[in-house]
Amino acid sequence: MWTPPDIPVTRTIRRLAVLTSGGDAPGMNAAVRAITRTAGSRGIEVLAAERGFSGLVHGQLQPLSMGSVGSILQRGGTILKTDRCEAFLDPEVRARTADDLRAQGVDGVVVIGGDGSLTGAHHLARESGLSVVGLPGTIDNDIVGTEDSIGFDTAVNTALEAIDRIRDTAHSHDRLFLVEVMGRSSGFIALSVGIAGGAEAILLPDQAITGDALMTRIAGTRTREKASSLVVVAEGTDPSYTTRLAAELGALGHPARACILGHVQRGGNPSGHDRVLASVLGASAVDHIQGGHSDIMLGIRDGAIATTPLERVGRERKVLPEAWLELARTLAR
């Protein structure tokens, strides 16, 4: 269990705004629910910004109540809607937005999203003086400063369920399957799914490989009377890479099938892990704002809730743990 810090109240908060931004992630609704009910229990009003930062920019704020967030804990996606707001990149737009928020009595803002969204949260905090706290909401788990992000566990389990089914067919037909998972330029989903799914190889972002080299890599599994193989491919930056690699393998005499899991990994009911993670972080966001904290992201480190400056979140890149990479290589032999 994650240990929330004991934070004394140092600020009187009347109203909070909450928004979800960027790509949706299972568990975002659980975080919104936790923020709303924690704040409501302390007499703090909560306003929901519709469609991420666009809701702040255009003043699309709707009140949330204890009852209005009922029955959303188990729902995927985000009831607040989300988008990527280009207008918020303009400092003048951010200044007007901050003035509008203060005019409506908003003292603090909680932003749930990935690195781009949390960078926007940093600019709002630095330029406006409002108390702004970010929560890592992304299936990619590529946020520096936290071991886990809201939605990652669900995405891994969704992909793993698909891979287990694909392996049945691969075994039945003695066939090679390339299964592409999401993650943008981050390989955390691919690495976790590859280890948990027993993949013969894991191709991480920007690690292009030829068909001959791939067959050499998995040759050891074929010598163990194992005719079928399953390779997990991180989507990376080239949307056609997996299908091209499958075609190249076929031309070399190794028939392969490419399966692109795509956005199915974003949707669906959040796992119990993600519901608890989002609930704990959401409640702690209210604690931190009441405690006078701002321009920080809350995450998980060493079994406890920890803070990371939002400026660092946008500047640094989270790297894959070398121990996991070595484990994947060992288990694939």
Side-chain angles (χ1 to χ4, degrees):
M1 301 299 290
W2 300 293
T3 305
D6 184 16
I7 300 176
V9 175
T10 61
R11 285 197 61 192
T12 299
I13 303 297
R14 299 165 297 167
R15 280 184 170 179
L16 290 179
V18 58
L19 62 97
T20 53
S21 176
D24 61 299
M28 282 182 164
N29 287 328
V32 172
R33 173 180 178 268
I35 293 164
T36 302
R37 291 194 167 175
T38 301
S41 70
R42 301 173 187 178
I44 302 171
E45 294 182 61
V46 178
L47 301 178
E50 300 177 353
R51 301 190 183 279
F53 286 106
S54 293
L56 294 186
V57 171
H58 300 295
Q60 297 172 329
L61 303 176
Q62 299 295 330
L64 294 176
S65 65
M66 298 280 202
S68 68
V69 294
S71 300
I72 69 170
L73 180 68
Q74 74 281 5
R75 290 174 57 182
T78 166
I79 65 165
L80 305 188
K81 307 295 185 181
T82 181
D83 72 356
R84 290 177 170 84
C85 181
E86 297 291 331
F88 203 72
L89 298 174
D90 186 341
E92 293 184 3
V93 171
R94 294 197 296 266
R96 289 197 301 270
T97 299
D99 290 340
D100 291 342
L101 288 172
R102 282 189 289 265
Q104 296 184 67
V106 173
D107 304 298
V109 180
V110 182
V111 177
I112 309 165
D115 53 359
S117 303
L118 298 179
T119 297
H122 165 62
H123 290 311
L124 181 63
R126 180 173 56 88
E127 298 166 1
S128 71
L130 293 168
S131 294
V132 182
V133 169
L135 302 184
T138 169
I139 66 169
D140 301 335
N141 197 27
D142 57 350
I143 305 295
V144 71
T146 182
E147 298 162 5
D148 202 356
S149 63
I150 298 167
F152 175 65
D153 183 73
T154 305
V156 167
N157 281 293
T158 299
L160 186 60
E161 181 180 354
I163 281 175
D164 287 344
R165 294 173 184 270
I166 291 169
R167 187 178 284 283
D168 291 341
T169 296
H171 178 74
S172 298
H173 293 269
D174 290 337
R175 188 170 288 166
L176 169 61
F177 274 84
L178 307 179
V179 184
E180 182 180 290
V181 299
M182 296 184 78
R184 294 190 305 172
S185 58
S186 166
F188 282 92
I189 292 179
L191 184 58
S192 296
V193 168
I195 292 173
E200 281 67 45
I202 305 171
L203 305 184
L204 297 172
D206 302 324
Q207 290 185 352
I209 189 172
T210 65
D212 278 334
L214 177 58
M215 294 310 300
T216 299
R217 182 183 296 189
I218 64 177
T221 66
R222 297 284 171 115
T223 61
R224 299 197 303 269
E225 298 181 355
K226 186 175 182 181
S228 66
S229 297
L230 192 148
V231 176
V232 173
V233 185
E235 65 179 348
T237 57
D238 182 353
S240 65
Y241 172 66
T242 304
T243 53
R244 284 193 290 104
L245 181 59
E248 181 182 343
L249 288 166
L252 293 171
H254 306 289
R257 299 291 186 271
C259 292
I260 314 298
L261 297 187
H263 283 76
V264 68
Q265 296 158 89
R266 282 199 185 280
N269 298 341
S271 65
H273 175 93
D274 277 329
R275 297 183 201 191
V276 174
L277 173 64
S279 297
V280 171
L281 291 180
S284 192
V286 180
D287 292 339
H288 279 78
I289 288 178
Q290 285 191 292
H293 295 266
S294 183
D295 204 10
I296 58 168
M297 181 198 74
L298 303 182
I300 301 297
R301 291 200 301 273
D302 299 324
I305 295 176
T307 63
T308 301
L310 284 173
E311 186 272 336
R312 182 186 168 208
V313 171
R315 173 171 45 86
E316 297 184 24
R317 178 188 173 97
K318 186 176 180 180
V319 298
L320 294 168
E322 183 57 41
W324 280 48
L325 294 170
E326 180 58 32
L327 177 63
R329 289 189 287 266
T330 298
L331 296 182
R333 290 173 182 155

